[in-house]
Amino acid sequence: MRTVYVDNNATTRTAPEVLEAMLPFFCDLYGNPSSMHFFGGQVEQYLRKARNQVAELLGAAHDEIVFTSCGTESDNAAVFGSLETVPHKRHIITTRVEHPAVRNVARHLLKKGYRLTELPVDGSGALDIRQLDHAVTQDTALVSIMWANNETGVLFPVEEIADMLRDRDVIFHTDAVQAVGKIPVDLSRQKGIHLLSLSGHKLHAPKGVGVLYIRKGTPLAPFVIGGHQEHGRRGGTENVPYIVGLGKAAELAGQRLGEENTRVRELRDHLEQGLLAAVPNTLVNGKGQPRLPNTSNLSFEYVEGESILLLLSNLGICASSGSACTSGSLEPSHVLRAMGVPFTAAHGSVRFSLSGYNTREEMDYILEHLPRIIEKLRAISPFWNSSVRSIAGGAP
Ligand code: PLP
């Protein structure tokens, strides 16, 4: 069976060039970069190169890059590490649509006595930054707002937010795990972003490596206490092969940003427009907002997202659903709930997230099969049938 992979916001294929760059660091160049001998020194040079490659992609300085194990670790480190430096401040601001790597940490801190403001979004997933302005007080230690939403692809005006917060004596962290490699990120232009998280496996590096960018001068407590590695912020011998892989992936991402915004965007639009034209009662979640060029989150009203995914999966098509089946109850995602997407639409949401490896022919394969899948599921959907019955004159 063929595989059509359109779940790149979940994880991406490791680029062959990345794998090739990594391989020497397992059996040949396996020295510890902290060792005094020449063998360690050689490896240390590659570590430095990778740091420069990531710094270049972000418009950062090499000593502002700290390698971590994943986006979740970077997010945790940003939140815990910054709060530790301002123990007298007890207020955190995030949004209702953050990834659990921030959202659950903030909620955990709520139980520890912090105050938490989760800013709302509107029906299209947009944030009203005036609400942020009002929410910041002298007690606010940290504002953590994602750059791009992993489910809808909606972009928050992070640069505008950073400008707004510049004179407010708060630390500003952005979870840019979904943004880096898909849209331009230039931290040299935007001095108000203090901390930024990224994750290797979202940009064609392997799983198990990430970065926390820490702007020079930003107070942040060490988050893995041990040796002197990573400027004393994160002890532990560096995961050299993966870091080298992430460096290469960052270099490729910089070269391919143009393609992401032209070819990948065109493919996404072709798929989205085709589905909107072929399937009645289909909504775009995040419509009208600036979005990642690779992401389309669609709600097919009156059907279950899980059923769509299973039937797509039988055809080799890998996508994601915006409703998660947790503990036996089908709860729509917190993102769609925060947007107020109605129950009948939230349950039928599917996220397609593309990459440069996708082709037009793959989009046409989805367009060939998905409309019939929805039709079949609607034919057996009690919700669809009652909605059809309630509309005089036939099918909506
Ligand atoms: N933040 C966002 C926005 C994400 O989409 C993800 C992963 O899906 C993460 C954080 C966590 O990244 P990782 O899987 O590398 O821990």
Side-chain angles (χ1 to χ4, degrees):
M1 185 171 68
R2 70 182 296 183
T3 303
V4 174
Y5 187 78
V6 280
D7 200 13
N8 287 278
N9 287 8
T11 197
T12 59
R13 166 189 183 178
T14 298
E17 298 91 330
V18 167
L19 179 63
E20 198 188 330
M22 291 170 64
L23 288 176
F25 295 89
F26 289 98
C27 298
D28 299 327
L29 292 165
Y30 54 84
N32 187 324
S34 299
S35 295
M36 287 298 290
H37 46 68
F38 79 97
F39 199 53
Q42 270 179 344
V43 175
E44 208 275 325
Q45 284 180 19
Y46 286 98
L47 196 60
R48 199 172 324 145
K49 179 177 172 193
R51 210 179 293 285
N52 284 332
Q53 285 165 316
V54 173
E56 167 97 23
L57 179 67
L58 299 179
H62 65 93
D63 53 355
E64 295 176 315
I65 303 300
V66 170
F67 290 110
T68 65
S69 66
C70 60
T72 302
E73 182 190 325
S74 302
D75 284 344
N76 272 251
V79 177
F80 287 117
S82 53
L83 293 180
E84 204 178 318
T85 64
V86 279
H88 54 288
K89 293 189 172 193
R90 307 295 288 176
H91 181 220
I92 305 162
I93 301 176
T94 65
T95 75
R96 289 193 190 158
V97 296
E98 295 300 310
H99 187 275
V102 168
R103 184 169 181 256
N104 289 347
V105 176
R107 289 181 170 207
H108 168 78
L109 288 162
L110 186 61
K111 287 189 225 138
K112 302 274 175 198
Y114 279 87
R115 281 192 311 113
L116 173 63
T117 302
E118 288 183 340
L119 299 167
V121 295
D122 69 13
S124 65
L127 198 62
D128 177 354
I129 68 167
R130 283 170 307 182
Q131 294 198 16
L132 170 61
D133 200 18
H134 293 141
V136 177
T137 70
Q138 291 200 328
D139 193 37
T140 307
L142 173 74
V143 175
S144 178
I145 293 182
M146 69 199 320
W147 200 314
N149 189 273
N150 45 302
E151 292 190 26
T152 59
V154 169
L155 300 171
F156 282 154
V158 162
E159 295 182 305
E160 212 181 314
I161 291 170
D163 275 341
M164 201 182 84
L165 294 175
R166 268 188 87 172
D167 304 321
R168 304 297 295 271
D169 192 26
V170 294
I171 297 173
F172 178 40
H173 165 246
T174 184
D175 174 344
V177 163
Q178 294 292 347
V180 174
K182 295 176 187 147
I183 57 167
V185 168
D186 184 359
L187 295 168
S188 68
R189 267 188 346 152
Q190 187 36 268
K191 305 272 185 259
I193 297 174
H194 302 118
L195 302 166
L196 175 145
S197 307
L198 71 86
S199 172
H201 73 106
K202 310 291 184 180
L203 60 140
H204 303 291
K207 296 155 195 66
V209 63
V211 162
L212 180 63
Y213 158 85
I214 308 171
R215 184 176 294 279
K216 249 183 229 96
T218 303
L220 194 88
F223 44 97
V224 177
I225 297 173
H228 59 277
Q229 293 92 348
E230 298 303 298
H231 329 298
R233 306 236 192 227
R234 184 185 190 269
T237 302
E238 296 88 346
N239 183 359
V240 175
Y242 284 62
I243 290 172
V244 168
L246 178 51
K248 184 68 190 173
E251 183 191 308
L252 293 173
Q255 292 163 3
R256 293 175 182 172
L257 262 182
E259 182 192 2
E260 189 77 31
N261 280 287
T262 50
R263 201 180 73 80
V264 175
R265 184 186 291 278
E266 276 162 27
L267 289 181
R268 190 274 308 267
D269 290 347
H270 175 60
L271 177 67
E272 190 170 284
Q273 294 308 323
L275 289 172
L276 288 172
V279 186
N281 292 65
T282 301
L283 314 168
V284 181
N285 294 313
K287 188 172 174 200
Q289 290 308 312
R291 281 185 293 155
L292 288 173
N294 79 320
T295 306
S296 179
N297 187 312
L298 300 178
S299 279
F300 302 100
E301 285 187 298
Y302 308 108
V303 277
E304 283 294 348
E306 268 74 14
S307 311
I308 304 171
L309 289 190
L310 282 178
L311 294 175
L312 285 175
S313 181
N314 290 342
L315 293 163
I317 300 167
C318 309
S320 271
S321 155
S323 58
C325 184
T326 40
S327 51
S329 72
L330 279 173
E331 268 286 291
S333 83
H334 70 282
V335 176
L336 299 183
R337 272 186 286 143
M339 290 164 66
V341 176
F343 174 87
T344 46
H347 273 281
S349 79
V350 178
R351 178 188 71 187
F352 302 96
S353 49
L354 281 56
S355 83
Y357 292 107
N358 287 121
T359 63
R360 185 159 174 118
E361 194 264 330
E362 288 179 330
M363 300 305 108
D364 289 337
Y365 181 68
I366 301 172
L367 286 170
E368 182 189 335
H369 292 284
L370 186 50
R372 272 190 279 137
I373 288 176
I374 306 290
E375 206 180 316
K376 219 157 72 177
L377 289 172
R378 280 181 178 163
I380 55 168
S381 156
F383 295 114
W384 175 257
N385 289 322
S386 64
S387 96
V388 172
R389 272 198 298 277
S390 71
I391 295 175

